């Protein structure tokens, strides 16, 4: 088992929480894991990217070469385009459909979606709307994690347990809210609705 994941988005969207949950699940699964530091201006709404590598064998490097990512999880659609050169031909993209417009020359969303729709293996969803429907908009990143779970290579129950462990210190209401968000994203990825 080997899964190379690129996490991308904008600072403040919860990329670190996604990585923490996947990391918890991977460790419980007995997998090796390497994560490159999150790069970008996470405090200022700038672009943020991290490499997360999982394997049942030791991992030499924490960086994913171009064309080798199995999965891109992106909380921002333009940021998903930025990292497409890293995606394998048979890799999956799981991305938010709603932009976080933080620059004056943000590209036309129709053109962004046109490019994303060219990919054969993708899940594109409005994570904020889904999160508001099942929990709160603050859980949008966990909706995204749920939608990516079928492509990570770790069973759903282990990811669910990772959510419990990461959010446990915040209390049962926060854990429950995030579990609902995780399940909503997971169901959409599996059922396409």
């Amino acid at each position: 088992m080997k899964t190379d994941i690129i996490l991308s988005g904008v600072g403040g969207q919860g990329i670190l929480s996604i990585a923490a949950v996947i990391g918890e699940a991977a460790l419980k699964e007995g997998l090796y894991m390497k994560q490159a530091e999150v790069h970008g201006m996470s405090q200022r709404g700038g672009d943020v990217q991290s490499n997360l590598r999982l394997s049942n064998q030791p991992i030499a490097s924490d960086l994913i070469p171009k064309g080798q990512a199995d999965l891109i999880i992106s909380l921002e659609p333009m940021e998903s385009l930025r990292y497409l050169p890293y995606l394998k031909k048979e890799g999956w993209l799981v991305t938010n459909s709603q932009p976080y417009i933080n620059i004056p020359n943000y590209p036309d969303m129709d053109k962004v979606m046109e490019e994303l729709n060219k990919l054969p293996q993708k899940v594109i969803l409005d994570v904020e709307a889904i999160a508001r429907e099942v929990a709160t908009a603050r859980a949008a990143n966990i909706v995204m994690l749920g939608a990516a779970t079928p492509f990570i290579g770790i069973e759903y129950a282990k990811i669910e347990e990772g959510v419990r462990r990461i959010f446990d210190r915040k209390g049962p209401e926060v854990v429950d809210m995030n579990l609902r968000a995780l399940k909503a994203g997971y169901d959409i990825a599996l059922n396409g609705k």
Side-chain angles (χ1 to χ4, degrees), residues 7-174:
L7 303 166
S8 69
V10 172
Q13 288 188 305
I15 290 172
L16 288 177
S17 294
I18 292 173
V21 170
I22 295 172
E24 280 287 321
L27 293 175
K28 283 292 181 185
E29 189 83 1
L31 297 173
Y32 292 91
M33 180 184 78
K34 284 204 181 226
Q35 180 182 1
E37 287 184 18
V38 172
H39 299 281
M41 300 185 310
S42 59
Q43 298 286 321
R44 301 174 191 217
D47 67 285
V48 177
Q49 179 266 345
S50 181
N51 288 225
L52 184 60
R53 305 187 83 184
L54 312 172
S55 178
N56 57 358
Q57 302 293 317
I59 303 166
S61 172
D62 56 358
L63 296 178
I64 300 168
K66 283 190 176 178
Q68 295 302 307
D70 299 289
L71 173 62
I72 294 174
I73 303 171
S74 183
L75 287 156
E76 209 291 322
M78 182 186 72
E79 292 302 322
S80 63
L81 285 179
R82 183 188 309 261
Y83 296 102
L84 284 184
Y86 289 87
L87 190 63
K88 286 181 177 176
K89 286 188 184 202
E90 66 276 10
W92 279 87
L93 169 69
V94 180
T95 188
N96 191 4
S97 63
Q98 299 305 305
Y100 182 97
I101 300 175
N102 57 346
I103 55 174
N105 59 342
Y106 194 96
D108 178 64
M109 268 310 291
D110 289 338
K111 290 191 184 314
V112 171
M113 293 309 291
E114 184 180 316
E115 288 303 310
L116 294 177
N117 282 319
K118 290 178 183 177
L119 294 172
Q121 300 191 116
K122 63 192 169 295
V123 176
I124 301 173
L125 63 166
D126 183 343
V127 292
E128 287 87 5
I130 296 162
R132 279 191 299 274
E133 186 179 310
V134 299
T136 174
R138 291 190 329 254
N141 63 328
I142 303 303
V143 170
M144 182 64 68
L145 173 60
T149 295
F151 317 108
I152 293 173
I154 298 174
E155 65 184 70
Y156 178 81
K158 295 274 184 359
I159 299 289
E160 191 177 48
E161 188 55 37
V163 167
R164 283 190 177 90
R165 282 193 302 278
I166 292 298
F167 293 103
D168 186 52
R169 63 183 168 76
K170 294 187 177 187
E173 294 85 16
V174 173

